[in-house]
Amino acid sequence: MSSRRSRSRQSGSSRITDEQISDLVSKLQDLLPEARLRNNDRMPSSRVLQETCNYIRSLHREVDDLSERLSELLATSDMSSAQAAIIRSLLM
Amino acid sequence: MASTSSSAAVVEERESGRKRKRGGATGESEGAEEAQPSKWRTRRVHEIYSSKLLDAIRLVRSGSGSPASAAAGTAAAAAADPQSSRAVREAADRALAVSARGRTHWSRAILASHHRRLQAARRARLREPASPPLRHPTSPPGKGPKAPALARKAKVLGRLVPGCRKLPFPALLAEASDYIAALEMQVRAMTALAEVLSTVSASSSGTSSSPA
């Protein structure tokens, strides 16, 4: 791994080093489901970014599916405020 | 935050003291909690979000009552029409952004775009000239990835996370971490709500005819 000095163009703020970036990348890697399974030491940054994009897309899809399911459930049921209170307490 | 049952609020207060670190977050104080993406794993934020989510989607239902479904007909009442599904999605995203408490670009971007849309609709109704949409004025220079492949992927990532197209690379990575953690919580909360709702509606519709 080549160690390059960062050339920060931000005036007044601290230099952003390669180390900081690699730290952020590895934090991102830890969030990925794939990394949790295999307990990878280090994936290359491009792979981490790729998997991150894929994961965000799959989370978006899940949220879309859940939104559809929720809107179906809401359409078929009439929710009084008493029922809402019950549901709220069930969620807690 | 108005709550329909005060006892639930009291329970939440007690539990928040005990269970705030459920996700293994190292910081006790609010300050440390805010900075970590792991704040999205606490029970407290899950409960806060679930409550906001419930309120938000109830509004969707009463909002999209007659105009959208009248055209679809009564037969479509049981199916989700795409408009209400999208409205639920947007309401869920806004509730998520509110739960982020304004500390992240993505959350501010979600709320800002909703606000702009409301203003545009309001102006259209009042027939006032529309002001140009506000955009983040500068793209601040900062360290970017040197390899072109990385830069390409970073660009894709910037488009996936709301409001992060022009962020410098380190900030983009930080936003993406927080956004992923928030999305995971959103999925957990929406799943739980769907389970509760389907249980409630199944039991309320099945009481009269179910054999023992």
Side-chain angles (χ1 to χ4, degrees), chain A residues 10 16 18 24 28 31 36 46 50 55 60 62-64 67 69 71-72 74-75 78-79 84 88 92, chain B residues 47 51 55 57-58 61 77 80 84-85 89 141 143 150 153 160 170 177 179 184 186-187 195 197:
Chain A
Q10 285 178 340
I16 298 167
D18 279 341
L24 283 170
L28 207 47
L31 287 177
R36 276 181 236 154
S46 64
Q50 182 63 58
Y55 188 41
H60 281 167
E62 263 194 271
V63 172
D64 279 333
S67 301
R69 191 173 160 204
S71 85
E72 280 175 28
L74 287 174
D78 230 338
M79 204 192 307
R88 201 184 305 270
M92 299 294 151
Chain B
E47 291 176 356
S51 183
D55 291 336
I57 60 182
R58 286 187 72 205
R61 188 178 179 274
S84 87
S85 164
R89 165 79 200 263
K143 184 173 173 64
L150 267 192
K153 296 197 196 295
L160 279 174
S177 295
Y179 187 52
E184 288 174 340
Q186 185 181 29
V187 166
E195 292 299 311
L197 282 180

Side-chain angles (χ1 to χ4, degrees), chain B residues 22 34 52 55 68 75 103 107 115 120 167:
Chain B
R22 197 179 98 139
E34 297 289 353
K52 289 195 211 295
D55 291 336
R103 304 287 169 127
S107 59
H115 184 67
L167 282 188

Side-chain angles (χ1 to χ4, degrees), chain A residues 42-91:
Chain A
R42 287 280 279 270
M43 295 199 282
S45 308
S46 64
R47 177 86 192 283
V48 173
L49 286 185
Q50 182 63 58
E51 294 299 325
T52 302
C53 292
N54 294 344
Y55 188 41
I56 291 181
R57 274 190 280 254
S58 83
L59 286 171
H60 281 167
R61 273 196 307 268
E62 263 194 271
V63 172
D64 279 333
D65 291 342
L66 283 168
S67 301
E68 204 176 308
R69 191 173 160 204
L70 282 174
S71 85
E72 280 175 28
L73 285 167
L74 287 174
T76 55
S77 74
D78 230 338
M79 204 192 307
S80 68
S81 53
Q83 282 177 310
I86 294 171
I87 289 167
R88 201 184 305 270
S89 63
L90 284 174
L91 291 169

Side-chain angles (χ1 to χ4, degrees), chain A residues 45-46 49 53, chain B residues 144-159 165 167 169 172:
Chain A
S45 308
S46 64
L49 286 185
C53 292
Chain B
K146 304 248 165 104
L150 267 192
R152 253 201 328 268
K153 296 197 196 295
K155 201 166 165 185
V156 173
L157 183 59
R159 285 202 297 262
R165 273 174 219 229
L167 282 188
F169 192 58
L172 174 61

Side-chain angles (χ1 to χ4, degrees), chain B residues 139-208:
Chain B
S139 54
K143 184 173 173 64
K146 304 248 165 104
L150 267 192
R152 253 201 328 268
K153 296 197 196 295
K155 201 166 165 185
V156 173
L157 183 59
R159 285 202 297 262
L160 279 174
V161 183
C164 292
R165 273 174 219 229
K166 292 187 177 176
L167 282 188
F169 192 58
L172 174 61
L173 294 184
E175 287 282 323
S177 295
D178 191 76
Y179 187 52
I180 285 180
L183 283 178
E184 288 174 340
M185 190 215 67
Q186 185 181 29
V187 166
R188 285 196 298 270
M190 289 175 81
T191 305
L193 180 57
E195 292 299 311
V196 165
L197 282 180
S198 60
T199 308
V200 165
S201 65
S203 62
S204 64
S205 60
T207 43
S208 52

Side-chain angles (χ1 to χ4, degrees), chain A residues 84-86 88-89, chain B residues 2-11:
Chain A
I86 294 171
R88 201 184 305 270
S89 63
Chain B
S3 63
T4 49
S5 59
S6 55
S7 57
V10 169
V11 169

